[in-house]
Amino acid sequence: MADSKVNDILLFMSVAETGNFTTAGRAFGLSRSTAGKAVTRLEDRYGARLLNRTTRAVSLTEAGQRLYAQGEAIRVAIAAADARMEVSDGIPKGTLRIAAPDALGRRLVLPVIKKFQTTWPDIRFEISFSDTISRIVEDGFDLAIRVGVTTPDASLISRTLRMEKTLLCASPEYFTGRKVPKNIDQLSTHDLLQFSSVAKRQTWSLHDASSFLSTVSGRVSLRLDSAEGLREAALAGMGIALLPATLVKEELRAERLVQVLPDIDCGDVPIVAIYPHKKFLEPRVRRFIDALVADFSLGGANDVSQRVDQL
């Protein structure tokens, strides 16, 4: 049947994109075996091998490349039909799957979701709060919120939501018996807490009062793949952390943390929305991105600076 062939083609495309039958099947709520059978049916139907299979990876054959190109047209047509149907009554519908950093996601994204669902109650959300960088397309997300990521894969689009000021901070208890650093060089005698993931290790590049850029080379006593974890480590007196102002403003105001080297410019990091490159962006995705932009613009870099100065 025509509809089953379309499903097989979409499954085949997912296998080609993820390089993995298990992941491709999971994206459709199906098993690895079902994804494999879909590709086999297509190969039998067209009398050509579509994928080169090894124990480690799969790749497109020449015939597979031709079918994949045709499948893109099918996918665009389906997306266009979905988009037109969703806006036929002016009400976005469906499920919006979002990946966001744990700490900032809870503080910045959840309030936007609450407002959005008040306006559009037919939208359902599935959220993954994690500092691990997700493969957006392969893992089936419509949208990802990321900090510091400005050049995603060519198949993705990024939109800056706002620039976030970063601050050096530590707990007052950390400085018991220690000298508070007076300049960037003195950071080398302190315990530093830094972010680290599989893809990237955080480094600190700071500007002094003369705008001279220095790369800090202190001893890193702890690396974590969680901004929330770094904040908790700083609160526990384990060292000095460099964190987004939004994440620590309440602790600074309550004096559970103190700002270190307040006259030093620690730089800004972009908070960006990343989503798949599509000719027709689903209304629920487009409207939610617009909601993020509107909400985040209320707390841009200048506003953050002013709030921190008032702490």
Side-chain angles (χ1 to χ4, degrees), residues 83-98:
R84 286 169 184 149
M85 291 303 295
E86 283 191 350
V87 298
S88 61
D89 56 3
I91 302 175
K93 300 181 179 69
T95 300
L96 190 54
R97 300 194 69 232
I98 301 174

Side-chain angles (χ1 to χ4, degrees), residues 216-267:
V216 178
S217 57
R219 62 175 184 266
V220 181
S221 61
L222 178 64
R223 293 187 187 274
L224 290 168
D225 64 354
S226 164
E228 182 70 17
L230 288 173
R231 186 180 71 88
E232 292 298 325
L235 285 167
M238 299 176 68
I240 300 173
L242 178 65
L243 291 166
T246 296
L247 191 56
V248 295
K249 65 179 182 180
E250 294 176 7
E251 286 73 19
L252 290 169
R253 186 176 290 117
E255 298 183 349
R256 293 191 295 271
L257 292 175
V258 295
Q259 191 173 351
V260 179
L261 299 177
D263 296 328
I264 296 297
D265 180 6
C266 299

Side-chain angles (χ1 to χ4, degrees), residues 196-211:
S196 179
S197 66
V198 174
K200 183 179 181 180
R201 277 193 169 189
Q202 183 186 42
T203 57
W204 296 355
S205 297
L206 313 177
H207 287 88
D208 61 19
S210 64
S211 295

Side-chain angles (χ1 to χ4, degrees), residues 7-39 51 58 68 75 135 137-140:
N7 291 337
D8 287 350
I9 291 174
L10 294 176
L11 263 172
F12 154 74
M13 294 176 69
S14 183
V15 173
E17 290 164 353
T18 62
N20 186 292
F21 283 91
T22 301
T23 304
R26 189 182 300 125
F28 285 80
L30 302 171
S31 66
R32 180 191 187 284
S33 174
T34 302
K37 290 176 180 177
V39 174
L51 296 171
V58 297
Y68 185 91
R75 194 149 60 183
R135 300 178 304 170
V137 176
E138 293 86 346
D139 292 341

Side-chain angles (χ1 to χ4, degrees), residues 17-288:
E17 290 164 353
T18 62
N20 186 292
F21 283 91
T22 301
T23 304
R26 189 182 300 125
F28 285 80
L30 302 171
S31 66
R32 180 191 187 284
S33 174
T34 302
K37 290 176 180 177
V39 174
T40 299
R41 281 195 297 271
L42 289 174
E43 290 179 330
D44 290 344
R45 179 177 288 121
Y46 296 121
R49 178 172 289 276
L50 301 174
L51 296 171
N52 294 313
R53 303 165 175 82
T54 69
T55 56
R56 293 187 176 182
V58 297
S59 60
L60 289 169
T61 64
E62 184 177 345
Q65 291 174 359
R66 292 197 301 270
L67 181 59
Y68 185 91
Q70 295 299 316
E72 284 285 15
I74 295 173
R75 194 149 60 183
V76 167
I78 292 173
D82 287 345
R84 286 169 184 149
M85 291 303 295
E86 283 191 350
V87 298
S88 61
D89 56 3
I91 302 175
K93 300 181 179 69
T95 300
L96 190 54
R97 300 194 69 232
I98 301 174
D102 188 13
L104 284 176
R106 295 172 191 271
R107 297 199 178 199
L108 296 179
V109 179
L110 272 182
V112 181
I113 291 174
K114 182 179 179 180
K115 294 178 189 175
F116 194 82
Q117 286 189 313
T118 300
T119 305
W120 306 108
D122 290 333
I123 296 293
R124 298 176 299 278
F125 285 86
E126 293 181 5
I127 312 295
S128 172
F129 283 139
S130 171
D131 288 307
T132 302
I133 302 297
S134 302
R135 300 178 304 170
I136 298 174
V137 176
E138 293 86 346
D139 292 341
F141 290 105
D142 299 299
L143 175 69
I145 312 300
R146 288 293 164 227
V147 179
V149 178
T150 55
T151 54
D153 183 88
S155 64
L156 303 172
I157 298 174
S158 67
R159 182 173 177 180
T160 299
L161 301 173
R162 86 176 188 205
M163 298 300 293
E164 177 77 11
K165 187 176 181 65
T166 60
L167 306 173
L168 287 170
C169 54
S171 72
E173 290 75 18
Y174 169 75
F175 290 113
T176 302
R178 293 184 175 91
K179 292 184 178 180
V180 177
K182 302 298 183 183
N183 55 53
I184 295 174
D185 289 340
Q186 290 180 7
L187 287 172
S188 63
T189 65
H190 286 270
D191 295 324
L192 307 184
L193 312 173
Q194 293 188 346
F195 184 87
S196 179
S197 66
V198 174
K200 183 179 181 180
R201 277 193 169 189
Q202 183 186 42
T203 57
W204 296 355
S205 297
L206 313 177
H207 287 88
D208 61 19
S210 64
S211 295
F212 181 77
L213 180 65
S214 297
T215 299
V216 178
S217 57
R219 62 175 184 266
V220 181
S221 61
L222 178 64
R223 293 187 187 274
L224 290 168
D225 64 354
S226 164
E228 182 70 17
L230 288 173
R231 186 180 71 88
E232 292 298 325
L235 285 167
M238 299 176 68
I240 300 173
L242 178 65
L243 291 166
T246 296
L247 191 56
V248 295
K249 65 179 182 180
E250 294 176 7
E251 286 73 19
L252 290 169
R253 186 176 290 117
E255 298 183 349
R256 293 191 295 271
L257 292 175
V258 295
Q259 191 173 351
V260 179
L261 299 177
D263 296 328
I264 296 297
D265 180 6
C266 299
D268 300 333
V269 292
I271 300 179
V272 300
I274 301 175
Y275 50 96
H277 193 296
K278 295 182 179 180
K279 183 176 181 181
F280 296 98
L281 188 63
E282 290 84 350
R284 60 181 180 272
V285 180
R286 184 178 65 251
R287 286 184 182 272
F288 188 71

